[in-house]
């Protein structure tokens, strides 16, 4: 069974540092050529790439003028809403044509795009990393993720669904992430646009004198839609992270990762080691995801069946009706919705 690469929701398309004021950047996501720019006032804007005049690509040679982007071909200007604001060789503008515009958001140094095949307005806000977990503290308690704590893949045959299913896949921690023990599931809660889970972990730490002690830690995860997954991990220090998968076309997606390390790691060597370790954990997942085949229905162990059943049923709401992958098997259709889910 192939899953649709056109789910509805917020998706990462970069980091704030990627686009300075007045800069223009070409993008391609969801099978469309896009132009991203930052207005002179600092607003992040994304439009379809092609000028409605004669089809020049605004991302290649386009320039920012105040809030607008100017086409390199004939100087026509378009607003952040895609409206024509200037035709330099006549007094009137073209009110009939509009460059399709995209809803965007910027949080914690991350750039987001709202994708909806029907071009609808966002159904919920893009969350802030440090608003999600009560115990995490504020952004001031962490080193910035950018530039040392970030990772971006090349387009790979990876689906966003793989990331959200990590939120219920407790067993892979031992085999993919080399955890000393399989973690314990503390809680799992499904809401309309997000689901939360918490795992309790125990792992070994070698002390300076050679002795080994067991450390208790945990991971809280908050998955928002299909494309973005946030986590707060504690044990030896604290890490807040964002894992995001954004479709490029019907076959491939870009995987993004951001890790904010808590400031108890003030030593630069220790900080770099913790950020490298966090990125290494993402790379371990990625080695599985890029060669994975989505299996429906999966053959599950009894202990994991409820989690996978619930998350797949919950995820259905983000796939537009009629899109491949929206349909479910008789097995799932006959199953009650997870507790707290919106039917």
């Amino acid at each position: 069974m192939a899953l649709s690469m056109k789910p509805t929701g917020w998706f990462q398309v970069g980091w704030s540092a990627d686009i300075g004021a007045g800069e223009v950047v070409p993008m391609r996501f969801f099978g469309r050529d896009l132009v991203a720019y930052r207005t002179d006032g600092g607003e992040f804007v994304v439009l379809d790439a092609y000028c409605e005049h004669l089809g020049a690509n605004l991302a290649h040679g386009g320039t920012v003028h105040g809030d607008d982007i100017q086409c390199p071909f004939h100087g026509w200007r378009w607003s952040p809403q895609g409206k024509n604001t200037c035709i330099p060789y006549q007094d009137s503008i073209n009110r009939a044509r509009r460059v399709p515009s995209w809803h965007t958001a910027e949080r914690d140094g991350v750039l987001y795009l709202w994708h909806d095949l029907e071009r609808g307005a966002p159904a919920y806000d893009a969350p802030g990393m440090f608003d999600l977990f009560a115990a995490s503290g504020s952004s001031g308690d962490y080193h910035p993720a950018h530039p040392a704590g970030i990772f971006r893949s090349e387009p790979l045959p990876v689906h966003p669904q793989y990331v959200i299913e990590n939120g219920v896949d407790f067993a892979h921690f031992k085999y993919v992430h080399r955890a000393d023990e399989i973690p314990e599931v503390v809680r799992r809660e499904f809401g309309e646009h997000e689901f939360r889970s918490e795992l309790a972990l125990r792992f070994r730490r070698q002390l300076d004198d050679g002795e080994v002690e067991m450390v208790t830690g945990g991971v809280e995860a908050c998955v928002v839609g299909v494309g973005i997954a946030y986590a707060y991990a504690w044990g030896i220090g604290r890490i807040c992270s964002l894992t995001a998968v954004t479709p490029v076309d019907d076959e491939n997606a870009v995987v993004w990762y951001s890790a904010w390390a808590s400031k108890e790691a003030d030593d630069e060597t220790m900080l770099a080691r913790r950020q490298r370790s966090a990125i290494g954990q993402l790379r371990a997942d990625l080695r599985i995801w890029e060669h994975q085949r989505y299996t429906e229905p999966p053959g599950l162990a009894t202990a994991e069946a409820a989690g996978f059943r619930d998350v797949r049923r919950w995820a259905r709401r983000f796939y537009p009706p009629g899109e491949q992958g929206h349909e479910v098997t008789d097995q799932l259709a006959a199953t009650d919705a997870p507790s707290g889910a919106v039917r």
Side-chain angles (χ1 to χ4, degrees):
M1 173 183 175
L3 282 170
S4 168
M5 290 290 264
K6 297 183 176 66
T8 301
W10 288 106
F11 296 86
Q12 183 175 352
V13 292
W15 290 278
S16 298
D18 294 341
I19 306 179
E23 291 185 350
V24 178
V25 175
M27 292 182 173
R28 181 171 177 79
F29 294 108
F30 298 102
R32 301 179 73 94
D33 291 316
L34 308 174
V35 57
Y37 71 95
R38 197 180 289 281
T39 68
D40 288 339
E43 180 187 358
F44 171 56
V45 178
V46 177
L47 304 173
D48 274 16
Y50 298 103
C51 179
E52 286 291 307
H53 175 213
L54 286 172
N57 192 316
L58 299 168
H60 296 277
T63 52
V64 176
H65 295 264
D67 289 342
D68 303 340
I69 187 167
Q70 178 173 297
C71 178
F73 200 4
H74 295 89
W76 289 36
R77 294 183 184 179
W78 304 91
S79 74
Q81 294 75 39
K83 297 179 181 179
N84 180 228
T85 61
C86 174
I87 299 175
Y89 41 89
Q90 70 177 35
D91 293 334
S92 61
I93 58 174
N94 189 324
R95 300 182 185 279
R97 303 300 287 265
R98 180 179 292 197
V99 178
S101 61
W102 297 69
H103 296 279
T104 62
E106 193 165 0
R107 305 277 190 274
D108 308 308
V110 177
L111 302 174
Y112 297 96
L113 183 79
W114 175 262
H115 176 259
D116 180 356
L117 281 178
E118 302 299 323
R119 293 281 183 169
Y124 51 92
D125 291 334
M129 175 77 252
F130 301 98
D131 298 328
L132 293 172
F133 307 106
S136 71
S138 68
S139 60
D141 298 324
Y142 293 81
H143 295 280
H146 194 281
I150 65 170
F151 169 84
R152 174 182 175 167
S153 76
E154 295 299 315
L156 297 169
V158 174
H159 194 279
Q161 183 96 5
Y162 297 163
V163 175
I164 70 169
E165 293 190 2
N166 251 19
V168 298
D169 187 1
F170 58 86
H172 88 287
F173 277 83
K174 181 176 178 64
Y175 304 100
V176 176
H177 300 300
R178 307 304 181 191
D180 294 307
E181 301 175 357
I182 292 178
E184 174 191 355
V185 178
V186 176
R187 66 186 175 100
R188 189 180 293 139
E189 300 171 355
F190 290 82
E192 185 174 4
H193 304 302
E194 67 177 43
F195 92 81
R196 292 175 177 266
S197 62
E198 183 177 347
L199 301 176
L201 295 161
R202 280 167 47 87
F203 47 93
R204 295 179 177 85
R205 177 172 65 172
Q206 187 166 2
L207 304 177
D208 293 339
D209 60 5
E211 293 293 318
V212 174
E213 69 172 355
M214 294 300 296
V215 177
T216 299
V219 178
E220 288 185 67
C222 180
V223 174
V224 181
V226 176
I228 46 179
Y230 304 85
Y232 165 58
W234 67 96
I236 303 175
R238 297 175 294 160
I239 291 282
C240 287
S241 64
L242 166 61
T243 306
V245 180
T246 307
V248 173
D249 50 36
D250 287 338
E251 302 293 333
N252 298 291
V254 171
V255 179
W256 319 76
Y257 183 74
S258 306
W260 293 262
S262 57
K263 285 185 175 177
E264 57 258 26
D266 281 327
D267 176 79
E268 289 188 10
T269 301
M270 177 63 74
L271 172 61
R273 183 159 62 240
R274 289 181 61 198
Q275 289 177 317
R276 284 197 306 271
S277 175
I279 293 172
Q281 297 297 329
L282 181 277
R283 287 182 180 273
D285 282 319
L286 194 56
R287 283 192 291 271
I288 302 296
W289 294 339
E290 65 179 312
H291 302 290
Q292 185 174 351
R293 181 192 68 182
Y294 186 77
T295 303
E296 179 59 51
L300 297 169
T302 303
E304 64 192 358
F308 278 92
R309 177 197 65 210
D310 287 354
V311 76
R312 290 190 175 189
R313 187 177 182 92
W314 173 81
R316 287 177 55 207
R317 69 196 64 198
F318 302 104
Y319 294 97
E323 275 293 299
Q324 190 177 21
H326 179 75
E327 299 79 6
V328 292
T329 63
D330 291 341
Q331 174 188 354
L332 286 178
T335 306
D336 288 338
S339 177
V342 176
R343 297 175 185 269

